[in-house]
Amino acid sequence: MRRARDTRVKLVLDATEFIDALRSHGTNFFSGVPCSFLKAPMQVLANDDDYVGAVIETDALAMATGAYLAGKTPAVFCQNSGLGNLINPLSSLNDPFRIPVLLVIGWRAAPGIEDEPQHHLMGKTTRDMLKLMGVESLELPTDVAAMRACLNTAFSTMTETQKPVALLVKPDSFAPLVHPAENQIIPERSTTSTTDQCRHKPAMSRYDALRAIVAVIPEDAAVVATTGKCSRELFTLGHRPQNFYMVGSMGSAGAIGLGIALARPNKPIIVLDGDGAALMRLGTLTTIGRERPANLIHVILDNAAHDSTGGQPTGSESVDFAAIAAACGYKTATRCDDANTVRQIISDAVSESGPHMIHMRIAVGSLENLARPTVTPAEVAQRFMAFLSH
């Protein structure tokens, strides 16, 4: 007996309609790393000014976090194969600072769906991993009305919990674009030369370097300090609402600063980074160089050691961060090693179009009995957001 043919039409979403639905909830900053399941909506986004492509999922989430701190409503697009990269910022950045971001995740190898072998383990554990991170996950429906209801739930949950929410997208959820992407014209790269202003004096301590830098930071400048002793010493120099002290998510300072800089282009943004953290996420420099935020000053305090964890070597003694920044497209890239010079460089950089890289060699070591910030991460975030809103 011949089986009746299934004549039901499979529902698929229109990518533009989905992006418009996100925008109707106020979403106005997008970042991500491509996924074949999300190629249609991500191509729609790629043509918009409020989308910033990232080289790794951690950067996408850190940029979105910075944008949130600056008043934006962000969303991050990625594949679940990159969920492992997101675990660190989800657990040690977004959770303690109470920062909600919508995650739109292509769900490769979802249970019951055949896929390539490299996706099998992540596919079957995706929802469990998100749950362990305290992130609620929702499967994105392909019916338009159900999709809108799903978004209503996602955004209301983020507002209520102040935590990220994930939308899981199965294959063929989006219709192919009628007009696929055309080849983009790649602009000519501008040439940046490095400037060496080193005086070759005995290396300063990080505390003295920070004290010199703080002395010339304008009152309207936002400061993002990398995790560990850099944030702790900055707090010791005086707690200010303009300071964002990272307590985890090592390597994210540059991307957080970039997200803030893009969201608040009229406010100076100063990132105080470390050599170990910068090496961990060196790809961030390429995104900063591509986006070229004129208001970003990126300072790397380099003692060639993981000072906060015992002084293990980072290997940065053979790394020229200024040359790397210049190759990535920073507007200026300067080396220095003394207080007077770094003060002058920062004073000049605040009033000149960037982005600027300042690479400063410092000594190993920190203050004895160094205190930790006495304010909670959530309180730091709230004060910082209030500062950025003015």
Side-chain angles (χ1 to χ4, degrees), residues 54-56 58-59 250-255 258 273-290 298 300 302 314-316 318-330 357 359:
V55 296
I56 190 171
T58 37
D59 273 7
M250 181 174 172
S252 294
L258 174 58
D273 218 339
D275 51 299
L279 287 172
M280 182 176 286
R281 300 267 286 283
L282 206 56
T284 307
L285 274 64
T286 67
T287 309
I288 293 173
R290 184 190 70 226
H298 191 175
I300 297 181
D302 180 4
T314 63
S316 69
S318 61
V319 176
D320 187 341
F321 286 107
I324 294 171
C328 289
Y330 281 59
M357 166 62 72
H359 177 204

mmCIF file of all heavy atoms in Angstrom, residues 54-56 58-59 250-255 258 273-290 298 300 302 314-316 318-330 357 359:
data_model
loop_
_atom_site.group_PDB
_atom_site.id
_atom_site.type_symbol
_atom_site.label_atom_id
_atom_site.label_comp_id
_atom_site.label_asym_id
_atom_site.label_seq_id
_atom_site.Cartn_x
_atom_site.Cartn_y
_atom_site.Cartn_z
ATOM 1 N N ALA A 54 33.770 39.263 15.703
ATOM 2 C CA ALA A 54 34.831 38.935 16.650
ATOM 3 C C ALA A 54 35.660 37.779 16.119
ATOM 4 O O ALA A 54 35.197 36.991 15.290
ATOM 5 C CB ALA A 54 34.236 38.570 18.013
ATOM 6 N N VAL A 55 36.879 37.660 16.614
ATOM 7 C CA VAL A 55 37.750 36.561 16.194
ATOM 8 C C VAL A 55 37.549 35.319 17.053
ATOM 9 O O VAL A 55 37.962 34.223 16.676
ATOM 10 C CB VAL A 55 39.235 36.982 16.225
ATOM 11 C CG1 VAL A 55 39.504 38.093 15.228
ATOM 12 C CG2 VAL A 55 39.658 37.414 17.629
ATOM 13 N N ILE A 56 36.910 35.480 18.202
ATOM 14 C CA ILE A 56 36.642 34.353 19.102
ATOM 15 C C ILE A 56 35.431 34.721 19.951
ATOM 16 O O ILE A 56 35.151 35.904 20.193
ATOM 17 C CB ILE A 56 37.875 34.038 19.981
ATOM 18 C CG1 ILE A 56 37.691 32.706 20.734
ATOM 19 C CG2 ILE A 56 38.175 35.179 20.949
ATOM 20 C CD1 ILE A 56 38.970 32.229 21.439
ATOM 21 N N THR A 58 34.753 34.536 23.086
ATOM 22 C CA THR A 58 35.004 35.291 24.311
ATOM 23 C C THR A 58 35.047 36.786 24.035
ATOM 24 O O THR A 58 34.544 37.591 24.815
ATOM 25 C CB THR A 58 36.324 34.841 24.949
ATOM 26 O OG1 THR A 58 37.283 34.564 23.922
ATOM 27 C CG2 THR A 58 36.138 33.590 25.770
ATOM 28 N N ASP A 59 35.657 37.179 22.918
ATOM 29 C CA ASP A 59 35.695 38.594 22.554
ATOM 30 C C ASP A 59 34.307 39.120 22.226
ATOM 31 O O ASP A 59 33.958 40.256 22.575
ATOM 32 C CB ASP A 59 36.616 38.807 21.345
ATOM 33 C CG ASP A 59 38.065 39.002 21.740
ATOM 34 O OD1 ASP A 59 38.386 38.852 22.935
ATOM 35 O OD2 ASP A 59 38.890 39.295 20.863
ATOM 36 N N MET A 250 40.009 36.642 32.521
ATOM 37 C CA MET A 250 41.321 37.148 32.129
ATOM 38 C C MET A 250 41.438 37.276 30.606
ATOM 39 O O MET A 250 41.054 36.377 29.865
ATOM 40 C CB MET A 250 42.406 36.204 32.644
ATOM 41 C CG MET A 250 43.813 36.637 32.330
ATOM 42 S SD MET A 250 45.001 35.532 33.127
ATOM 43 C CE MET A 250 46.535 36.091 32.419
ATOM 44 N N GLY A 251 41.944 38.407 30.165
ATOM 45 C CA GLY A 251 42.129 38.666 28.750
ATOM 46 C C GLY A 251 41.017 39.483 28.126
ATOM 47 O O GLY A 251 41.120 39.882 26.964
ATOM 48 N N SER A 252 39.943 39.752 28.875
ATOM 49 C CA SER A 252 38.769 40.409 28.302
ATOM 50 C C SER A 252 38.804 41.933 28.353
ATOM 51 O O SER A 252 37.923 42.579 27.780
ATOM 52 C CB SER A 252 37.493 39.933 29.010
ATOM 53 O OG SER A 252 37.255 38.574 28.765
ATOM 54 N N ALA A 253 39.783 42.526 29.009
ATOM 55 C CA ALA A 253 39.762 43.975 29.216
ATOM 56 C C ALA A 253 39.719 44.745 27.898
ATOM 57 O O ALA A 253 38.962 45.707 27.751
ATOM 58 C CB ALA A 253 40.979 44.411 30.040
ATOM 59 N N GLY A 254 40.541 44.336 26.928
ATOM 60 C CA GLY A 254 40.576 45.047 25.657
ATOM 61 C C GLY A 254 39.246 44.996 24.934
ATOM 62 O O GLY A 254 38.780 46.002 24.378
ATOM 63 N N ALA A 255 38.595 43.821 24.934
ATOM 64 C CA ALA A 255 37.313 43.683 24.245
ATOM 65 C C ALA A 255 36.208 44.430 24.972
ATOM 66 O O ALA A 255 35.334 45.038 24.337
ATOM 67 C CB ALA A 255 36.950 42.210 24.098
ATOM 68 N N LEU A 258 36.686 47.978 24.090
ATOM 69 C CA LEU A 258 36.252 48.228 22.716
ATOM 70 C C LEU A 258 34.739 48.383 22.652
ATOM 71 O O LEU A 258 34.223 49.293 21.986
ATOM 72 C CB LEU A 258 36.715 47.092 21.805
ATOM 73 C CG LEU A 258 36.224 47.141 20.358
ATOM 74 C CD1 LEU A 258 36.648 48.429 19.668
ATOM 75 C CD2 LEU A 258 36.727 45.925 19.584
ATOM 76 N N ASP A 273 45.850 47.051 30.747
ATOM 77 C CA ASP A 273 45.985 45.627 30.465
ATOM 78 C C ASP A 273 47.309 45.115 31.005
ATOM 79 O O ASP A 273 48.198 45.880 31.376
ATOM 80 C CB ASP A 273 45.914 45.408 28.949
ATOM 81 C CG ASP A 273 45.163 44.149 28.561
ATOM 82 O OD1 ASP A 273 45.036 43.248 29.413
ATOM 83 O OD2 ASP A 273 44.709 44.069 27.406
ATOM 84 N N GLY A 274 47.449 43.800 31.031
ATOM 85 C CA GLY A 274 48.699 43.173 31.415
ATOM 86 C C GLY A 274 49.249 42.341 30.281
ATOM 87 O O GLY A 274 48.518 41.976 29.349
ATOM 88 N N ASP A 275 50.529 42.019 30.353
ATOM 89 C CA ASP A 275 51.146 41.266 29.254
ATOM 90 C C ASP A 275 50.575 39.856 29.150
ATOM 91 O O ASP A 275 50.279 39.371 28.053
ATOM 92 C CB ASP A 275 52.673 41.223 29.418
ATOM 93 C CG ASP A 275 53.122 40.764 30.796
ATOM 94 O OD1 ASP A 275 52.777 41.440 31.797
ATOM 95 O OD2 ASP A 275 53.833 39.758 30.908
ATOM 96 N N GLY A 276 50.380 39.174 30.290
ATOM 97 C CA GLY A 276 49.831 37.834 30.242
ATOM 98 C C GLY A 276 48.414 37.819 29.696
ATOM 99 O O GLY A 276 48.051 36.968 28.877
ATOM 100 N N ALA A 277 47.598 38.790 30.132
ATOM 101 C CA ALA A 277 46.213 38.874 29.666
ATOM 102 C C ALA A 277 46.162 39.221 28.185
ATOM 103 O O ALA A 277 45.363 38.657 27.431
ATOM 104 C CB ALA A 277 45.458 39.915 30.486
ATOM 105 N N ALA A 278 47.008 40.150 27.758
ATOM 106 C CA ALA A 278 47.010 40.553 26.351
ATOM 107 C C ALA A 278 47.437 39.403 25.448
ATOM 108 O O ALA A 278 46.886 39.210 24.361
ATOM 109 C CB ALA A 278 47.924 41.761 26.151
ATOM 110 N N LEU A 279 48.426 38.621 25.886
ATOM 111 C CA LEU A 279 48.864 37.477 25.094
ATOM 112 C C LEU A 279 47.768 36.416 25.003
ATOM 113 O O LEU A 279 47.625 35.750 23.979
ATOM 114 C CB LEU A 279 50.131 36.873 25.710
ATOM 115 C CG LEU A 279 51.412 37.685 25.534
ATOM 116 C CD1 LEU A 279 52.539 37.077 26.359
ATOM 117 C CD2 LEU A 279 51.819 37.767 24.066
ATOM 118 N N MET A 280 47.010 36.273 26.078
ATOM 119 C CA MET A 280 45.944 35.270 26.094
ATOM 120 C C MET A 280 44.907 35.548 25.007
ATOM 121 O O MET A 280 44.344 34.632 24.420
ATOM 122 C CB MET A 280 45.278 35.259 27.470
ATOM 123 C CG MET A 280 44.183 34.222 27.618
ATOM 124 S SD MET A 280 43.512 34.174 29.300
ATOM 125 C CE MET A 280 44.848 33.366 30.175
ATOM 126 N N ARG A 281 44.664 36.826 24.711
ATOM 127 C CA ARG A 281 43.642 37.184 23.733
ATOM 128 C C ARG A 281 44.209 38.189 22.736
ATOM 129 O O ARG A 281 43.650 39.272 22.517
ATOM 130 C CB ARG A 281 42.432 37.768 24.458
ATOM 131 C CG ARG A 281 41.815 36.789 25.441
ATOM 132 C CD ARG A 281 40.709 35.997 24.832
ATOM 133 N NE ARG A 281 39.562 36.866 24.695
ATOM 134 C CZ ARG A 281 38.764 37.220 25.708
ATOM 135 N NH1 ARG A 281 38.972 36.734 26.914
ATOM 136 N NH2 ARG A 281 37.754 38.018 25.509
ATOM 137 N N LEU A 282 45.316 37.823 22.119
ATOM 138 C CA LEU A 282 46.008 38.729 21.207
ATOM 139 C C LEU A 282 45.135 39.108 20.010
ATOM 140 O O LEU A 282 45.302 40.170 19.415
ATOM 141 C CB LEU A 282 47.311 38.071 20.734
ATOM 142 C CG LEU A 282 48.449 38.991 20.292
ATOM 143 C CD1 LEU A 282 48.820 39.982 21.379
ATOM 144 C CD2 LEU A 282 49.673 38.155 19.920
ATOM 145 N N GLY A 283 44.185 38.238 19.670
ATOM 146 C CA GLY A 283 43.305 38.535 18.544
ATOM 147 C C GLY A 283 42.450 39.768 18.749
ATOM 148 O O GLY A 283 41.970 40.370 17.782
ATOM 149 N N THR A 284 42.250 40.183 20.018
ATOM 150 C CA THR A 284 41.477 41.394 20.286
ATOM 151 C C THR A 284 42.091 42.600 19.595
ATOM 152 O O THR A 284 41.379 43.501 19.133
ATOM 153 C CB THR A 284 41.409 41.655 21.805
ATOM 154 O OG1 THR A 284 40.941 40.487 22.470
ATOM 155 C CG2 THR A 284 40.482 42.820 22.117
ATOM 156 N N LEU A 285 43.425 42.621 19.519
ATOM 157 C CA LEU A 285 44.096 43.766 18.895
ATOM 158 C C LEU A 285 43.700 43.913 17.429
ATOM 159 O O LEU A 285 43.607 45.030 16.911
ATOM 160 C CB LEU A 285 45.617 43.629 19.030
ATOM 161 C CG LEU A 285 46.246 44.156 20.329
ATOM 162 C CD1 LEU A 285 45.761 43.362 21.537
ATOM 163 C CD2 LEU A 285 47.770 44.111 20.247
ATOM 164 N N THR A 286 43.442 42.787 16.760
ATOM 165 C CA THR A 286 43.063 42.876 15.351
ATOM 166 C C THR A 286 41.684 43.510 15.205
ATOM 167 O O THR A 286 41.443 44.270 14.258
ATOM 168 C CB THR A 286 43.055 41.479 14.691
ATOM 169 O OG1 THR A 286 42.003 40.678 15.245
ATOM 170 C CG2 THR A 286 44.382 40.773 14.899
ATOM 171 N N THR A 287 40.778 43.208 16.131
ATOM 172 C CA THR A 287 39.437 43.793 16.063
ATOM 173 C C THR A 287 39.478 45.275 16.403
ATOM 174 O O THR A 287 38.805 46.090 15.767
ATOM 175 C CB THR A 287 38.480 43.055 17.010
ATOM 176 O OG1 THR A 287 38.567 41.646 16.778
ATOM 177 C CG2 THR A 287 37.046 43.498 16.778
ATOM 178 N N ILE A 288 40.266 45.646 17.405
ATOM 179 C CA ILE A 288 40.423 47.065 17.732
ATOM 180 C C ILE A 288 40.999 47.813 16.542
ATOM 181 O O ILE A 288 40.536 48.906 16.178
ATOM 182 C CB ILE A 288 41.322 47.244 18.973
ATOM 183 C CG1 ILE A 288 40.621 46.680 20.217
ATOM 184 C CG2 ILE A 288 41.695 48.712 19.179
ATOM 185 C CD1 ILE A 288 41.487 46.656 21.462
ATOM 186 N N GLY A 289 42.022 47.228 15.898
ATOM 187 C CA GLY A 289 42.633 47.873 14.749
ATOM 188 C C GLY A 289 41.689 48.005 13.575
ATOM 189 O O GLY A 289 41.741 48.979 12.818
ATOM 190 N N ARG A 290 40.794 47.028 13.415
ATOM 191 C CA ARG A 290 39.834 47.093 12.316
ATOM 192 C C ARG A 290 38.743 48.121 12.591
ATOM 193 O O ARG A 290 38.365 48.894 11.717
ATOM 194 C CB ARG A 290 39.189 45.727 12.114
ATOM 195 C CG ARG A 290 38.240 45.645 10.918
ATOM 196 C CD ARG A 290 37.451 44.364 10.920
ATOM 197 N NE ARG A 290 36.473 44.344 11.989
ATOM 198 C CZ ARG A 290 36.275 43.319 12.809
ATOM 199 N NH1 ARG A 290 37.012 42.227 12.709
ATOM 200 N NH2 ARG A 290 35.356 43.379 13.752
ATOM 201 N N HIS A 298 44.823 52.049 24.829
ATOM 202 C CA HIS A 298 45.089 50.694 25.318
ATOM 203 C C HIS A 298 46.507 50.655 25.891
ATOM 204 O O HIS A 298 47.489 50.752 25.152
ATOM 205 C CB HIS A 298 44.941 49.706 24.155
ATOM 206 C CG HIS A 298 44.928 48.276 24.566
ATOM 207 N ND1 HIS A 298 44.708 47.248 23.671
ATOM 208 C CD2 HIS A 298 45.097 47.667 25.771
ATOM 209 C CE1 HIS A 298 44.731 46.095 24.303
ATOM 210 N NE2 HIS A 298 44.983 46.325 25.573
ATOM 211 N N ILE A 300 49.362 48.574 27.933
ATOM 212 C CA ILE A 300 49.803 47.250 28.396
ATOM 213 C C ILE A 300 50.987 47.443 29.338
ATOM 214 O O ILE A 300 52.057 47.902 28.930
ATOM 215 C CB ILE A 300 50.188 46.331 27.218
ATOM 216 C CG1 ILE A 300 48.974 46.058 26.336
ATOM 217 C CG2 ILE A 300 50.770 45.014 27.741
ATOM 218 C CD1 ILE A 300 49.251 45.146 25.159
ATOM 219 N N ASP A 302 53.736 45.745 31.225
ATOM 220 C CA ASP A 302 54.402 44.485 30.882
ATOM 221 C C ASP A 302 55.572 44.215 31.822
ATOM 222 O O ASP A 302 56.604 44.878 31.755
ATOM 223 C CB ASP A 302 54.878 44.580 29.428
ATOM 224 C CG ASP A 302 55.596 43.336 28.949
ATOM 225 O OD1 ASP A 302 55.671 42.355 29.701
ATOM 226 O OD2 ASP A 302 56.087 43.354 27.801
ATOM 227 N N THR A 314 55.565 34.965 31.411
ATOM 228 C CA THR A 314 54.569 34.999 30.334
ATOM 229 C C THR A 314 55.198 34.803 28.961
ATOM 230 O O THR A 314 54.495 34.478 28.007
ATOM 231 C CB THR A 314 53.831 36.350 30.316
ATOM 232 O OG1 THR A 314 54.777 37.395 30.029
ATOM 233 C CG2 THR A 314 53.156 36.628 31.650
ATOM 234 N N GLY A 315 56.504 35.041 28.856
ATOM 235 C CA GLY A 315 57.164 34.980 27.560
ATOM 236 C C GLY A 315 57.128 36.283 26.814
ATOM 237 O O GLY A 315 57.580 36.374 25.663
ATOM 238 N N SER A 316 56.638 37.343 27.452
ATOM 239 C CA SER A 316 56.488 38.621 26.742
ATOM 240 C C SER A 316 57.809 39.347 26.513
ATOM 241 O O SER A 316 57.845 40.340 25.790
ATOM 242 C CB SER A 316 55.544 39.545 27.518
ATOM 243 O OG SER A 316 56.140 39.976 28.725
ATOM 244 N N SER A 318 60.033 38.616 24.661
ATOM 245 C CA SER A 318 60.358 38.575 23.234
ATOM 246 C C SER A 318 59.237 39.144 22.364
ATOM 247 O O SER A 318 59.252 38.990 21.142
ATOM 248 C CB SER A 318 60.626 37.120 22.808
ATOM 249 O OG SER A 318 59.479 36.309 23.013
ATOM 250 N N VAL A 319 58.259 39.812 22.998
ATOM 251 C CA VAL A 319 57.088 40.320 22.276
ATOM 252 C C VAL A 319 57.130 41.836 22.210
ATOM 253 O O VAL A 319 57.371 42.512 23.221
ATOM 254 C CB VAL A 319 55.782 39.870 22.968
ATOM 255 C CG1 VAL A 319 54.567 40.474 22.269
ATOM 256 C CG2 VAL A 319 55.690 38.350 22.981
ATOM 257 N N ASP A 320 56.884 42.374 21.034
ATOM 258 C CA ASP A 320 56.816 43.824 20.836
ATOM 259 C C ASP A 320 55.347 44.190 20.619
ATOM 260 O O ASP A 320 54.835 44.171 19.502
ATOM 261 C CB ASP A 320 57.656 44.229 19.618
ATOM 262 C CG ASP A 320 57.779 45.729 19.447
ATOM 263 O OD1 ASP A 320 56.948 46.464 20.027
ATOM 264 O OD2 ASP A 320 58.694 46.177 18.720
ATOM 265 N N PHE A 321 54.642 44.493 21.712
ATOM 266 C CA PHE A 321 53.214 44.792 21.619
ATOM 267 C C PHE A 321 52.942 46.020 20.750
ATOM 268 O O PHE A 321 51.916 46.082 20.060
ATOM 269 C CB PHE A 321 52.615 45.005 23.008
ATOM 270 C CG PHE A 321 52.445 43.744 23.809
ATOM 271 C CD1 PHE A 321 53.280 43.472 24.877
ATOM 272 C CD2 PHE A 321 51.451 42.832 23.499
ATOM 273 C CE1 PHE A 321 53.126 42.315 25.625
ATOM 274 C CE2 PHE A 321 51.280 41.672 24.242
ATOM 275 C CZ PHE A 321 52.123 41.406 25.306
ATOM 276 N N ALA A 322 53.830 47.001 20.789
ATOM 277 C CA ALA A 322 53.629 48.202 19.970
ATOM 278 C C ALA A 322 53.667 47.849 18.492
ATOM 279 O O ALA A 322 52.841 48.329 17.698
ATOM 280 C CB ALA A 322 54.684 49.250 20.306
ATOM 281 N N ALA A 323 54.605 46.999 18.098
ATOM 282 C CA ALA A 323 54.703 46.600 16.692
ATOM 283 C C ALA A 323 53.481 45.795 16.260
ATOM 284 O O ALA A 323 52.986 45.950 15.139
ATOM 285 C CB ALA A 323 55.981 45.791 16.460
ATOM 286 N N ILE A 324 52.981 44.946 17.160
ATOM 287 C CA ILE A 324 51.783 44.161 16.843
ATOM 288 C C ILE A 324 50.584 45.085 16.666
ATOM 289 O O ILE A 324 49.799 44.951 15.719
ATOM 290 C CB ILE A 324 51.507 43.125 17.943
ATOM 291 C CG1 ILE A 324 52.625 42.081 17.973
ATOM 292 C CG2 ILE A 324 50.161 42.437 17.719
ATOM 293 C CD1 ILE A 324 52.549 41.134 19.158
ATOM 294 N N ALA A 325 50.429 46.047 17.584
ATOM 295 C CA ALA A 325 49.321 46.993 17.477
ATOM 296 C C ALA A 325 49.415 47.803 16.190
ATOM 297 O O ALA A 325 48.405 48.057 15.519
ATOM 298 C CB ALA A 325 49.311 47.921 18.693
ATOM 299 N N ALA A 326 50.622 48.203 15.842
ATOM 300 C CA ALA A 326 50.809 48.955 14.593
ATOM 301 C C ALA A 326 50.402 48.114 13.394
ATOM 302 O O ALA A 326 49.729 48.595 12.470
ATOM 303 C CB ALA A 326 52.266 49.399 14.472
ATOM 304 N N ALA A 327 50.787 46.841 13.404
ATOM 305 C CA ALA A 327 50.436 45.948 12.298
ATOM 306 C C ALA A 327 48.931 45.703 12.236
ATOM 307 O O ALA A 327 48.383 45.453 11.161
ATOM 308 C CB ALA A 327 51.185 44.626 12.438
ATOM 309 N N CYS A 328 48.254 45.799 13.389
ATOM 310 C CA CYS A 328 46.807 45.557 13.436
ATOM 311 C C CYS A 328 45.991 46.777 13.029
ATOM 312 O O CYS A 328 44.791 46.654 12.799
ATOM 313 C CB CYS A 328 46.397 45.117 14.837
ATOM 314 S SG CYS A 328 46.960 43.448 15.268
ATOM 315 N N GLY A 329 46.618 47.949 12.979
ATOM 316 C CA GLY A 329 45.899 49.130 12.522
ATOM 317 C C GLY A 329 45.631 50.190 13.571
ATOM 318 O O GLY A 329 44.848 51.123 13.327
ATOM 319 N N TYR A 330 46.237 50.092 14.760
ATOM 320 C CA TYR A 330 46.111 51.171 15.741
ATOM 321 C C TYR A 330 46.642 52.468 15.127
ATOM 322 O O TYR A 330 47.564 52.448 14.301
ATOM 323 C CB TYR A 330 46.909 50.861 17.004
ATOM 324 C CG TYR A 330 46.253 49.904 17.978
ATOM 325 C CD1 TYR A 330 45.904 48.608 17.609
ATOM 326 C CD2 TYR A 330 46.004 50.286 19.291
ATOM 327 C CE1 TYR A 330 45.325 47.723 18.499
ATOM 328 C CE2 TYR A 330 45.429 49.411 20.210
ATOM 329 C CZ TYR A 330 45.092 48.124 19.802
ATOM 330 O OH TYR A 330 44.517 47.259 20.700
ATOM 331 N N MET A 357 48.030 52.622 21.270
ATOM 332 C CA MET A 357 48.657 51.570 22.071
ATOM 333 C C MET A 357 49.848 52.161 22.808
ATOM 334 O O MET A 357 50.686 52.852 22.204
ATOM 335 C CB MET A 357 49.131 50.410 21.191
ATOM 336 C CG MET A 357 50.088 49.413 21.881
ATOM 337 S SD MET A 357 49.360 48.558 23.289
ATOM 338 C CE MET A 357 48.219 47.446 22.459
ATOM 339 N N HIS A 359 52.815 50.676 25.252
ATOM 340 C CA HIS A 359 53.446 49.475 25.813
ATOM 341 C C HIS A 359 54.512 49.938 26.794
ATOM 342 O O HIS A 359 55.499 50.575 26.408
ATOM 343 C CB HIS A 359 54.064 48.639 24.694
ATOM 344 C CG HIS A 359 54.796 47.426 25.189
ATOM 345 N ND1 HIS A 359 55.806 46.819 24.473
ATOM 346 C CD2 HIS A 359 54.677 46.703 26.334
ATOM 347 C CE1 HIS A 359 56.268 45.790 25.143
ATOM 348 N NE2 HIS A 359 55.592 45.699 26.278
#
